[in-house]
Amino acid sequence: MLSFIARRSATGLLMLVALSVLIFILLRLAPGDPIDAYINPSSPMSASDLEVLRDRLGLDQPLPVQYLAWLRAALGGDFGYSIQRSGVAVLPLVMERVGPTALLMGTGLAIAIVLGISAGIFSAVRRNALPDIALSVVAFVGISSPAFLTALLGLYFFSVLLRWAPSGGMQTAGAPFSVADVFAHLVLPACLLSIGHAALIMRYMRASLLEVLNQDYVRTARAKGVREFWVIIKHATRNALLPVITLIGSTVGIAIGGAIFLESVFNWPGMGLLLVNAVGTRDYPVIMGATLVIGICVILVNLLTDIVYAVVDPRIQVSR
C-alpha cells in the first residue's frame, strides 16, 4: 500500500508542476502586457519608470527564468502579493477562502453522493418500471443543465420569487455569526451544485449495479435463499460501487468549475469568487496562487480516491 501511495503521490506532483507551467504560460500569452496590471490608470508612468518597474518585477527576463523564479518562491510558501490589494500576501488571502469553498463543495458533493447512489440502486431494482423511467428523465435533465443556468434559475425561483432562501452571501450582513444562519445561506447553492453530480452518479450506479446483478455469484446467493434486500446491499452494491468511487473522485474538478459559477452568482466568499475577481482585474499573483491551491486540492482528493479504491478492491494494488 505504501508503494502504491508513493507512486500516486509522485504522479500527482508531476501533474501539479505541469498545471503551474500551463497556467503561467497562458497568463503570459493573454492579450495585453502584464505590467499594465501594476499601473494606476489615473497616474500614467514614463517609459523609463515602466522599464524600472519591469526590471524590479522580473518581467524583463525570459519566460523560463520568470517561471523558475516564481516556482522557487512558491516552494518556500511565498506566492507574492496581490496587485489589487496593496500589501496583502497571496497565500493567506487564498487560504482564508479555502474553508467556505470546502464547505460548499463538501456539502454539495455529500448530497450528490447520497441522492445519486440511492436513486441509482432504486432505479436498477425497478428497471424499466415507471420510477426508473422518471428518474432517468430527471437525470438526463440534470446532466444536460449547465452550472450557470442552474444557479441563475435556482436563484430566481427560490430566492426572488418564493423567498425560501437568502439570495447571496455566507451569512446575513450585520448579524452575529450563527451556524443556523450559515446553514440557511448554504442550503440553496449546495443543492444546486449537487444536481448535475447526483444525476451523473445515479446513471453510473444504475448501470454498474445492473451489470453486477447478472453475475453468477449474485444468482448463487439468490439460489441459496438469501433475502433480496441482502443480495442487493451486501453482495451487489459493494462491487457496483467501484466505478462510482472513481467517478466521485473525478467529479471534484468539475465541482470546482461549478462552484466558481455558484460563488459568483450567490456571492459566496470562496476561492471561486476570488479567482473570478482576480481574472477580471488581471491580478496575476492571485490567479497563480488560487489555481495552484485548487490543483493541490484536486490532486489530494484524487489520491484519496485511489487509496479508497485500493482498499475496496485490493487487486488494484497489485495491478498498478
Side-chain angles (χ1 to χ4, degrees), residues 139-256:
F140 281 123
V141 173
I143 294 173
S144 304
S145 301
F148 68 89
L149 179 61
T150 303
L152 291 174
L153 290 177
L155 177 66
Y156 178 71
F157 282 107
F158 295 105
S159 294
V160 178
L161 288 183
L162 301 177
R163 299 184 182 277
W164 287 357
S167 60
M170 190 173 175
Q171 60 186 79
T172 304
F177 174 83
S178 70
V179 175
D181 188 33
V182 173
F183 179 78
H185 287 78
L186 173 65
V187 170
L188 181 57
C191 289
L192 293 174
L193 179 62
S194 71
I195 291 176
H197 304 290
L200 194 59
I201 292 172
M202 177 261 175
R203 294 301 301 171
Y204 268 76
M205 187 66 201
R206 178 185 182 276
S208 180
L209 187 57
L210 287 176
E211 182 179 353
V212 171
L213 288 175
N214 291 323
Q215 299 297 319
D216 292 338
Y217 67 88
V218 174
R219 287 194 289 266
T220 301
R222 286 170 172 163
K224 289 181 177 180
V226 179
R227 291 179 56 187
E228 185 66 17
F229 175 82
W230 293 114
V231 170
I232 300 296
I233 300 301
K234 184 177 180 180
H235 294 276
T237 299
R238 178 175 179 178
N239 289 322
L241 280 173
L242 294 178
V244 178
I245 291 174
T246 303
L247 173 67
I248 292 172
S250 64
T251 57
V252 173
I254 303 174
I256 290 177

Side-chain angles (χ1 to χ4, degrees), residues 9 34 40 55-56 84 100-101 114-115 144 212 253 258 262 282 311:
S9 300
N40 186 349
D55 177 71
R56 182 167 62 85
Q84 301 301 320
T101 295
V114 173
L115 290 180
S144 304
V212 171
L262 282 166
R282 302 185 68 177
V311 171

Side-chain angles (χ1 to χ4, degrees), residues 79 90 94 271-272 274-275 278 284-296:
F79 288 85
V90 171
V94 173
M271 284 193 295
L274 176 66
L275 188 57
Y284 294 109
V286 173
I287 296 174
M288 287 293 297
T291 303
L292 193 63
V293 171
I294 290 173
I296 292 173

Side-chain angles (χ1 to χ4, degrees), residues 24 57-58 61-75 78:
F24 189 88
L57 295 173
Q61 301 293 323
L63 284 182
V65 176
Q66 293 183 39
Y67 172 76
L68 290 176
W70 175 87
L71 182 62
R72 183 166 50 253
L75 290 176
D78 181 11

